[in-house]
Amino acid sequence: MVSILALSVKACRLCQIPPFVAARHLPPARGKSFLKGRALGSPRKVHLFAKASPFGRGGCECSEQTERASPLKARVPALFPDIAGAFSVLLGCARSGGCVIIGQSIFERRCSCLRFLHLSDLHLGKRVCEFSMLEDQRYILEEILTLLDETPVDGVLLAGDLYDKPVPPAEAVRLLDWFLTQLVARKLPVFAISGNHDSADRVAFGSALLADSQVYVSPVFTGAPQPIPLQDAHGTVDVYLLPFLKPAMVRHVWPDEPIESYNDALACVLRHCTPDPGHRSVLVAHQFVAGAAACESEEPSVGGVDSVDAALFDAFDYVALGHLHSPQKVGRETLRYCGTPLKYSFSEAGQHKSATFVELGAKSEVHITTAPLTPRHELRGLRGSYMELTDRSRYEGTAVDDYLHITLTDEQDVPDALARLRVIYPNLMQLDYDNQRTRQQQEICAPERTESISPLEHLAAFYQLQNNQPLTAEQTAFCQALIEEIWKEGDTL
């Protein structure tokens, strides 16, 4: 049996220079797709991964252990004029039968772009329709870690709502602890803030100690955020951590400032937080920016009173936003919500969740890419009659364990439909009906008909909804006479 040693070279989006080379031993079945342009390798059990990054992390991984190389030096400018040269070295490592560190004598560090992963709204511990999402959340976090192993970054931005509740369950705390530990093991700086679902005090616990491991967590708000500087070939990148703010929090710090709204509060904070124009700046924030699209799993205030103006963020090169669950830009490309890694409501069923990667080159050079995320269970809707949805030929071979919202079209209610359907669809979250009866109920209050319905019809519809029976003839005559009397009194005023 012959294995394939596959070589992949990935280029930086901005400078088009390969920042790392990866070599993997693949099983023959998967290896067939890599035959073209690649060479056969020794059928040894070895998994190699060599990479370089702006913070100097390099090394090889095998399937059993990982070692890290010393910082890479740019002192061999023309070591590999072509891919074959790099491949021959990696192939030699594979044939040696062990994990060999690829160190400074092999790769030249030529890519100068800082690269971040932007995540937000993990909502660890969340329940959707009373279904715990913890296993799904761990699954998607493992997928994100795999993505980071294949697409190296220089830092992770976590833009709030790490938990779903201010007092999260112990399992959610352990899951976040595991995820942060995995990021630290990969030598990745983490920049995290608290969101409106989090307790700022609990998230900030131990932040001074965590900073020693390059896990930077926003403190409880006491004033303008201070920059966390990073260095690369283009100079300094300042990262600012701004937790979710309410007007009362800001008034407490600056009592003499005229702060009446969320917009006033954020404007006040950013007036006291002016980025150095000579540096590139990244702001991690968790607010509702006016013009962004919300969905039903979020909690916007009535009338949008919690919205803030997008122009307040103009001084920052990239703004990593959290709070809204749909991935989207707001105005400019670099003012962006990355969205949730999982779907948390059926209003998100049509969305494609992704991880957002941000590359910072020289000043004002920002490139944004996304990578799709595939959940353990999809969240989607099904529609049809009870007989159609329980027909084996219809559901056999489909993902019946997905999280489902089923809409039955039967004219008569099906007895115990929820329990009976869960025999086939165990993760059925929501069940409702769409038939003539339900449509008539909706039409009573439909906005497009309100002007054409008479006051008596409005009253009769309301009475029936409240009492489950129509007005009698005597009641109808009394109400009609009363309405006419009221109208006459209005005409004489």
Side-chain angles (χ1 to χ4, degrees):
M1 182 175 70
V2 178
S3 297
I4 304 299
L5 185 64
L7 175 70
S8 64
V9 178
K10 298 190 178 181
C12 168
R13 295 280 183 174
L14 294 179
C15 62
Q16 297 302 311
I17 296 173
F20 67 90
V21 180
R24 300 176 184 277
H25 241 58
L26 301 172
R30 186 180 168 198
K32 292 178 181 178
S33 63
F34 287 83
L35 281 172
K36 187 175 181 180
R38 290 165 170 82
L40 296 179
S42 169
R44 293 181 182 274
K45 183 181 179 182
V46 66
H47 172 93
L48 293 176
F49 186 86
K51 66 182 179 180
S53 80
F55 286 169
R57 293 182 302 280
C60 289
E61 296 180 10
C62 72
S63 57
E64 297 176 356
Q65 63 179 343
T66 300
E67 297 187 38
R68 296 289 174 181
S70 58
L72 305 179
K73 305 291 185 180
R75 67 179 189 181
V76 191
L79 187 61
F80 298 124
D82 53 32
I83 296 303
F87 185 76
S88 64
V89 174
L90 292 173
L91 184 58
C93 295
R95 285 175 174 161
S96 70
C99 182
V100 179
I101 294 177
I102 309 297
Q104 61 187 27
S105 63
I106 292 183
F107 287 101
E108 178 194 2
R109 165 73 193 117
R110 294 186 294 172
C111 179
S112 58
C113 301
L114 271 174
R115 183 179 173 91
F116 294 97
L117 171 64
H118 174 191
L119 297 172
S120 78
D121 296 272
L122 304 181
H123 286 281
L124 300 182
K126 187 174 182 64
R127 302 181 72 87
V128 179
C129 298
E130 298 309 313
F131 281 72
S132 171
M133 303 299 288
L134 269 170
E135 288 302 316
D136 297 82
Q137 289 169 335
R138 185 180 181 92
Y139 180 92
I140 208 69
L141 292 180
E142 289 176 345
E143 185 174 330
I144 289 168
L145 291 172
T146 300
L147 196 58
L148 288 174
D149 290 336
E150 297 175 350
T151 310
V153 299
D154 304 294
V156 177
L157 311 174
L158 294 177
D161 280 357
L162 309 180
Y163 298 116
D164 191 57
K165 302 291 183 185
V167 183
E171 297 85 357
V173 176
R174 287 195 290 268
L175 183 55
L176 181 61
D177 176 71
W178 169 82
F179 183 55
L180 293 177
T181 302
Q182 292 296 314
L183 295 176
V184 170
R186 288 163 171 78
K187 309 296 184 187
L188 291 175
V190 179
F191 305 91
I193 64 170
S194 54
N196 60 304
H197 280 252
D198 298 312
S199 163
D201 293 273
R202 289 186 173 87
V203 169
F205 175 77
S207 57
L209 293 174
L210 289 172
D212 292 337
S213 298
Q214 290 190 300
V215 177
Y216 304 99
V217 180
S218 61
V220 175
F221 182 75
T222 56
Q226 298 302 307
I228 303 168
L230 307 174
Q231 300 291 331
D232 69 1
H234 296 291
T236 303
V237 174
D238 291 328
V239 180
Y240 295 84
L241 302 180
L242 186 63
F244 175 71
L245 294 177
K246 292 183 178 180
M249 300 176 184
V250 183
R251 280 196 296 265
H252 180 74
V253 177
W254 291 288
D256 297 330
E257 292 275 1
I259 298 170
E260 301 296 334
S261 65
Y262 280 79
N263 197 74
D264 293 341
L266 186 64
C268 175
V269 173
L270 295 182
R271 279 198 303 271
H272 292 84
C273 174
T274 306
D276 187 329
H279 295 177
R280 291 158 294 160
S281 56
V282 174
L283 176 68
V284 186
H286 193 93
Q287 301 292 155
F288 178 40
V289 180
C295 56
E296 69 181 29
S297 57
E298 296 142 13
E299 299 176 356
S301 298
V302 177
V305 296
D306 61 346
S307 65
V308 299
D309 190 352
L312 295 176
F313 302 102
D314 285 350
F316 296 91
D317 293 283
Y318 183 76
V319 182
L321 290 169
H323 192 37
L324 300 187
H325 293 188
S326 306
Q328 59 190 293
K329 65 177 183 179
V330 188
R332 59 186 171 105
E333 288 287 341
T334 53
L335 180 62
R336 181 170 291 269
Y337 290 98
C338 63
T340 53
L342 288 173
K343 300 173 184 178
Y344 288 134
S345 75
F346 288 100
S347 65
E348 302 171 51
Q351 295 180 11
H352 300 286
K353 298 299 184 179
S354 60
T356 300
F357 292 94
V358 184
E359 291 176 357
L360 297 177
K363 182 71 173 177
S364 302
E365 289 184 5
V366 181
H367 186 84
I368 299 166
T369 56
T370 59
L373 295 174
T374 304
R376 177 169 174 248
H377 298 111
E378 188 57 83
L379 188 145
R380 58 192 176 92
L382 279 180
R383 178 185 176 87
S385 69
Y386 178 82
M387 294 302 294
E388 289 171 341
L389 296 179
T390 55
D391 183 350
R392 181 181 295 272
S393 64
R394 173 161 176 166
Y395 68 77
E396 200 167 40
T398 66
V400 293
D401 61 343
D402 281 350
Y403 294 124
L404 297 176
H405 170 200
I406 289 181
T407 301
L408 292 177
T409 57
D410 301 83
E411 289 298 329
Q412 299 297 323
D413 289 0
V414 178
D416 205 19
L418 183 65
R420 292 164 68 181
L421 285 169
R422 278 182 174 164
V423 174
I424 301 170
Y425 307 101
N427 292 326
L428 170 57
M429 286 183 163
Q430 189 173 333
L431 176 68
D432 57 22
Y433 285 85
D434 180 19
N435 53 32
Q436 186 175 355
R437 172 178 55 83
T438 60
R439 285 192 292 271
Q440 284 178 343
Q441 289 177 350
Q442 292 169 0
E443 287 173 359
I444 290 174
C445 300
E448 60 269 21
R449 292 194 56 201
T450 54
E451 293 183 0
S452 60
I453 295 176
S454 68
L456 181 60
E457 289 173 320
H458 273 299
L459 181 60
F462 177 74
Y463 181 88
Q464 181 156 350
L465 286 173
Q466 290 290 312
N467 300 281
N468 293 318
Q469 61 182 6
L471 290 168
T472 64
E474 184 180 4
Q475 290 171 325
T476 301
F478 172 80
C479 291
Q480 181 63 41
L482 185 61
I483 289 170
E484 290 176 356
E485 184 178 345
I486 292 172
W487 277 108
K488 288 178 181 178
E489 291 179 357
D491 291 340
T492 59
L493 293 178

